[in-house]
Amino acid sequence: QVQLVESGGGLVQPGGSLRLSCVASRMIFSVFSPLDMGWYRQAPGKERELVASISTDFATYYADSVKGRFAISRNNSRKTVYLQMSNLRPEDTGLYFCNALITASQPKYDWGQGTQVTVSS
């Protein structure tokens, strides 16, 4: 069974940076590399939303709220997707998850534990 393991979250001051990682464990390279992957955020009291995605040919999408501040990337040989977050704002606070995408609103696998990002002074 595929397991998505997110890491890299923490407490950071406004304007700070974090780099999140997500490893697709129990998945072989030939299965991971054709997947479109995305990072989702669930803020307190809100629904989970897609903030960034990267396709198999490395095309990227960003939600308007993070455009110009976040950068998604992937390393297929490591079965890992990253989210570099810069100029963080308090409204970026939330639990961050990764998943493979069937569509933007339809994740492919069960959710992992996520990694908590808290932006506060």
Side-chain angles (χ1 to χ4, degrees), residues 45-94:
K46 296 186 177 181
E47 292 188 355
R48 189 155 25 202
E49 61 171 345
L50 180 68
V51 297
S53 68
I54 185 165
S55 70
T56 57
D57 59 357
F58 298 88
T60 57
Y61 156 83
Y62 297 98
D64 288 343
S65 60
V66 306
K67 202 171 292 184
R69 301 186 298 119
F70 289 14
I72 188 170
S73 60
R74 65 191 294 164
N75 184 323
N76 288 336
S77 64
R78 295 183 177 181
K79 300 172 293 180
T80 301
V81 60
Y82 304 97
L83 187 67
Q84 177 67 49
M85 305 186 295
S86 303
N87 193 19
L88 283 160
R89 303 168 180 170
E91 54 264 39
D92 295 318
T93 293

Side-chain angles (χ1 to χ4, degrees), residues 2 24-35 76-79 109:
V2 171
S25 64
R26 305 176 189 172
M27 183 185 293
I28 59 176
F29 165 81
S30 61
V31 173
F32 179 82
S33 58
L35 295 173
N76 288 336
S77 64
R78 295 183 177 181
K79 300 172 293 180
Y109 299 114

